[in-house]
Amino acid sequence: MLATLINNMGGSSKLFLPLYFLEHYRLGYAHIGLLMGVYGLGSFVGAYFSGSLSDRFAAHRLTCLLLAGSGVISLLFSTPLPLALFPALLLLAGLADGGFRPGNMRLTLEPCNPTQRPTGQGQLRMATNLGGALGGISGGLLASIGFHWLFLAQGAASLIGAAWMAYSYHHESPPPRQAPSAAVDEAGNSPWADKPFLLFIAGQLLALTVFDQIYGTLGLFLREHYQLGPQWVGYLFTLNCLMVVGLQLPIAHRVGHWGLTRSSHAGVVCVGAAFLVLNLGHGAPWALASMAVLTAGEMLMSPTWAAILMLRSEGRQRG
């Protein structure tokens, strides 16, 4: 978790890449979208294959290697590269960043017993969001001085995080790796053959399709309908991070008492209600209220889904 905190404190440089392409390479929005799509594709592929590889290799070594790779690529971004190199570098950056997350969650949750896993996931989210809150501030300041400083800071933070992870597991025994059961595998009971699990993933996809509007259409809505400047997007994300830091752990503790199914359903309802709140009024107070409701839903869904995933994958292809 400390490695996650250090990495996120680096400035969240990937969030500034579109502005970097616009200001330094004078690219149009369509080209910027394509480049960021390459990064997204890399994240998608990296998450799946890294998770699968963690069933076969030590998760702490794989995760450490991917975090170090992300740091090296960030350092390369700080140099005056020709534009033609960015598609390949962004694909590699996505593979590293996306691949880091499954192993990182596995390292956090596998040492916990089932009743402790919502709390463990809550602690990981606290570290992630505390680092994100600090990184957002530092990233904005560094970007205003020069984008190369932002990428240098992110690269250094990722490499320091990787070094800390390597040091920690060198001096401590890595958490036990949950190997797939041979009997289960012979029966063909893989995640792809588990229909209830696939329905669960499909439900997540629908809920996250709504939730992820905060990264795109929310900013446009605030600008066009609330007449709020772009700084309000930053204010809302700061509120999101601070709420997670302050409230995620108590909520994760209560999830065990409320029940996984009930907590999951309540979280999805909150996410949908958050966007309805935007239509009840006009102005900054309604935007803040919407983000508060949305964050409440996020804090209910995230530890619940992680606990369900860990329970469902006992003795199976967890990665």
Side-chain angles (χ1 to χ4, degrees), residues 118 248 250-260 263 299-300 303-304 307:
Q248 181 67 86
I251 288 177
H253 276 299
R254 296 301 302 171
V255 161
H257 298 284
W258 296 334
L260 296 179
S263 299
M299 290 188 292
L300 285 167
T304 304

Side-chain angles (χ1 to χ4, degrees), residues 94-288:
L95 289 169
D97 292 345
F100 170 75
R101 297 185 185 99
N104 193 36
M105 181 172 290
R106 186 169 191 161
L107 291 171
T108 302
L109 299 185
E110 275 193 339
C112 304
N113 64 49
T115 59
Q116 294 174 327
R117 283 169 182 164
T119 302
Q121 205 273 349
Q123 291 175 331
L124 177 62
R125 282 181 47 74
M126 284 181 62
T128 300
N129 282 271
L130 180 58
L134 297 173
I137 296 171
S138 64
L141 292 174
L142 290 171
S144 65
I145 299 171
F147 282 100
H148 63 287
W149 292 111
L150 171 63
F151 296 128
L152 281 172
Q154 181 65 76
S158 297
L159 290 174
I160 292 172
W164 172 256
M165 183 177 288
Y167 171 82
S168 298
Y169 285 111
H170 177 71
H171 287 79
E172 298 180 15
S173 299
R177 184 166 60 91
Q178 182 73 37
S181 167
V184 169
D185 287 347
E186 288 174 3
N189 195 10
S190 76
W192 293 105
D194 187 344
K195 291 183 179 179
F197 176 72
L198 294 178
L199 288 173
F200 169 65
I201 295 298
Q204 283 186 303
L205 177 61
L206 291 174
L208 292 174
T209 298
V210 177
F211 177 85
D212 282 355
Q213 299 308 308
I214 63 174
Y215 300 114
T217 56
L218 177 61
L220 297 176
F221 180 87
L222 296 177
R223 183 75 177 212
E224 294 181 6
H225 295 276
Y226 278 11
Q227 284 77 53
L228 296 176
Q231 69 271 19
W232 272 94
V233 176
Y235 298 156
L236 294 179
F237 275 96
T238 298
L239 173 63
N240 174 268
C241 289
L242 292 177
M243 283 185 65
V244 171
V245 170
L247 298 174
Q248 181 67 86
L249 200 54
I251 288 177
H253 276 299
R254 296 301 302 171
V255 161
H257 298 284
W258 296 334
L260 296 179
T261 301
R262 184 182 302 174
S263 299
S264 179
H265 290 170
V268 174
V269 170
C270 284
V271 168
F275 290 96
L276 293 177
V277 169
L278 290 172
N279 295 287
L280 298 179
H282 181 85
W286 293 98
L288 292 169

Side-chain angles (χ1 to χ4, degrees), residues 31-49:
H31 288 114
I32 293 173
L34 287 173
L35 286 173
M36 297 311 297
V38 172
Y39 174 78
L41 175 64
S43 297
F44 174 79
V45 174
Y48 180 78
F49 283 102

Side-chain angles (χ1 to χ4, degrees), residues 42-106:
S43 297
F44 174 79
V45 174
Y48 180 78
F49 283 102
S50 171
S52 299
L53 288 173
S54 71
D55 283 326
R56 303 179 182 182
F57 304 101
H60 67 286
R61 293 176 181 170
L62 180 64
T63 305
C64 183
L65 180 63
L66 290 167
L67 186 56
S70 178
V72 171
I73 295 170
S74 292
L75 292 178
L76 289 175
F77 284 157
S78 69
T79 63
L81 295 170
L83 187 60
L85 290 180
F86 273 99
L89 285 177
L90 285 169
L91 181 65
L92 292 174
L95 289 169
D97 292 345
F100 170 75
R101 297 185 185 99
N104 193 36
M105 181 172 290
R106 186 169 191 161

